[in-house]
Amino acid sequence: MARQVDKIKRKLLLHCAVLLCVLLLFITSACSSAATPTRTLSAMQVAQPAQSTPQIISPTLRSLAQAHHFYIGTTVNVKALRYEAAYSATLAREFNMVTPEVSMKFSETEPQRDVYTFAKADYIVAFAQAHQMQVRGHNLAWYNDLPAWLTSGNFTRDDLIAILRDHIMTEVTRYRGQVNIWDVVNEAVGDDGNLRASIWLRGIGPGYIDMAFQWAHEANPQARLFYNDYGGEGLGRKSDAIYTLVKGLLQRGVPFDGVGLQMHISLDRYPNAQDVLANMQRLAALGLEVQITEMDVKTQDDARPMQAKLAAEAQLYGEMLHTCLSVAGCTAFVMWGFTDAHSWIPAYTGHPDYPLIFDGKYRPKPAYYALANVLSGP
Ligand code: G3I
């Protein structure tokens, strides 16, 4: 009898030990999975080291913009998107529209004639789809960033027409249903108001602009097609030239939907908000959509202390967003990047700069709060 009681006791002890082990195993595995960095924001906040932990900002620009049925966007650097968890988490959290910074340009997508490379653009488009973001395709006919085979080739007019047509048809068709806004023609007007010299203007003639829109429309009739340029945001010679150009497109029945105002400005050089408003209104009065497509604010030429510069930068961001929101036809506000860690300006000028709304460690700057404040309004 006593031996049987002993046996039962031992069995009970064994069961308890097994149960304890299972419990311990469960707790350990739960802890380790919480520390595994993934692309979701909540997991990332657990995984990031303290100094680079993105702050939790609530509500986000994205949620505020959504309440206005409005797009708040940024350009995307594919390398940062792939390799920096804080970059992708901030991007997905704060924006509902993206523009590939270089990955859809001619030299990136057709580095050899008829040889297309879409891996980088595909990566951005897949990210956008996974996070319910719109993509602005950028760009199809530009004077810049063309591959050497094209710029150093000796092509006839018919060759160039075939090259541009194939390029546009191939790229726009590939992303039909995924990319429904395109900067079809980019920076075709020079600072003097005349058409800018380019391989397309020289080889095909001014008709290349109408052709580009026709082909983009043929490849994706659902897409909204934009003319995109810088330096024509306010009123003046260049914006008048752009206005005349787009009015002409409409008069000729070219399939065309909107104008992108890039808005690369500096603390010491920017258009008056009243002029931007008037320009947007005259474009909207033609029945066109308007978007701010590439805003950033160069700070390096301003001698004030940093705090004053950041306040002035915030003021400009807020003013331009407010201007856009006050025109019914202005449907998106897109910045040329979102973190000072990845802006084209330092590489281009050779000097450090702070042109965007998050600092280099993904902390929101005064400009971020200026945008949030405007978006929180009626
Ligand atoms: O990809 C190579 C990389 O492999 C190499 O190590 C590196 C060394 O310089 O160069 C890299 O390519 C650079 C690319 O940006 C990616 O960073 C190119 O040299 C450089 O010319 C390219 O500059 C881009 C420029 O357009 C020309 O495409 C800028 O990032 C981009 O911000 C700028 O964007 C334009 C818009 O498309 C149109 N509006 C103005 C805006 C600013 O200039």
Side-chain angles (χ1 to χ4, degrees):
M1 182 67 184
R3 220 188 279 162
Q4 263 208 320
V5 170
D6 259 9
K7 212 172 160 188
I8 291 168
K9 269 188 187 163
R10 249 181 283 136
K11 259 193 174 170
L12 265 171
L13 265 172
L14 196 71
H15 275 116
C16 283
V18 169
L19 250 166
L20 208 68
C21 283
V22 168
L23 206 70
L24 271 172
L25 261 172
F26 177 75
I27 292 169
T28 333
S29 92
C31 288
S32 77
S33 77
T36 305
T38 75
R39 295 224 150 184
T40 67
L41 177 61
S42 50
M44 246 212 48
Q45 280 159 348
V46 173
Q48 290 295 301
Q51 86 275 19
S52 63
T53 301
Q55 294 182 6
I56 305 167
I57 305 146
S58 182
T60 62
L61 296 182
R62 179 182 182 146
S63 63
L64 291 168
Q66 231 121 265
H68 289 270
H69 305 289
F70 185 73
Y71 290 112
I72 185 94
T74 173
T75 190
V76 176
N77 172 319
V78 74
K79 213 171 181 182
L81 180 65
R82 273 186 207 266
Y83 301 115
E84 285 183 42
Y87 187 97
S88 50
T90 309
L91 180 66
R93 188 185 70 219
E94 298 291 341
F95 301 97
N96 57 8
M97 178 178 266
V98 290
T99 305
E101 184 170 5
V102 291
S103 308
M104 286 185 167
K105 290 175 179 171
F106 207 125
S107 64
E108 287 283 324
T109 51
E110 197 181 348
Q112 301 299 326
R113 189 168 181 181
D114 294 330
V115 177
Y116 287 89
T117 50
F118 286 118
K120 291 178 187 168
D122 285 354
Y123 190 86
I124 294 174
V125 171
F127 183 90
Q129 291 229 299
H131 296 89
Q132 293 85 46
M133 300 161 120
Q134 284 282 327
V135 181
R136 293 193 89 262
H138 174 87
N139 56 52
L140 299 170
W142 193 23
Y143 73 93
N144 195 6
D145 220 336
L146 299 169
W149 67 263
L150 176 55
T151 51
S152 59
N154 193 11
F155 297 111
T156 65
R157 180 171 189 270
D158 284 349
D159 289 336
L160 286 171
I161 289 176
I163 288 167
L164 187 58
R165 181 179 188 280
D166 288 353
H167 185 81
I168 291 177
M169 294 294 291
T170 305
E171 188 160 355
V172 177
T173 303
R174 179 180 185 87
Y175 294 111
R176 196 162 43 198
Q178 298 175 305
V179 178
N180 289 315
I181 305 176
W182 280 99
D183 286 333
V184 176
V185 177
N186 198 45
E187 301 171 3
V189 175
D191 297 339
D192 60 2
N194 294 317
L195 284 185
R196 181 192 293 277
S198 71
I199 191 169
W200 311 118
L201 182 68
R202 204 166 40 247
I204 301 176
Y208 86 87
I209 296 176
D210 292 18
M211 291 178 194
F213 283 107
Q214 299 281 7
W215 295 323
H217 178 70
E218 207 180 308
N220 181 0
Q222 311 306 325
R224 301 207 305 285
L225 307 179
F226 274 68
Y227 174 79
N228 186 51
D229 212 330
Y230 68 86
E233 294 83 4
L235 296 174
R237 187 165 53 178
K238 186 156 177 179
S239 76
D240 286 349
I242 293 170
Y243 179 79
T244 307
L245 172 78
V246 300
K247 206 171 166 188
L249 292 176
L250 293 172
Q251 280 163 351
R252 293 191 295 280
V254 174
F256 168 65
D257 301 279
V259 177
L261 305 177
Q262 292 186 8
M263 200 67 75
H264 291 287
I265 59 178
S266 306
L267 284 180
D268 59 344
R269 204 151 163 265
Y270 52 87
N272 176 308
Q274 282 310 310
D275 288 357
V276 175
L277 180 68
N279 191 32
M280 285 180 171
Q281 282 170 337
R282 71 173 167 172
L283 292 167
L286 294 176
L288 291 171
E289 207 174 321
V290 185
Q291 300 187 337
I292 291 182
T293 52
E294 306 190 10
M295 182 155 177
D296 52 18
V297 181
K298 183 146 71 81
T299 59
Q300 60 189 258
D301 305 317
D302 189 300
R304 284 176 287 178
M306 185 56 86
Q307 216 184 347
K309 297 211 282 188
L310 296 185
E313 178 181 61
Q315 165 90 10
L316 285 170
Y317 270 103
E319 248 175 37
M320 294 309 168
L321 176 59
H322 181 263
T323 305
C324 172
L325 281 174
S326 54
V327 177
C330 190
T331 52
F333 182 88
V334 180
M335 290 156 273
W336 208 241
F338 59 93
T339 161
D340 289 341
H342 295 290
S343 159
W344 67 289
I345 294 176
Y348 183 75
T349 60
H351 300 288
D353 214 302
Y354 309 94
L356 297 166
I357 62 169
F358 285 88
D359 71 11
K361 290 187 171 164
Y362 299 92
R363 291 175 300 209
K365 292 165 60 184
Y368 173 94
Y369 295 107
L371 296 184
N373 190 34
V374 172
L375 287 170
S376 304

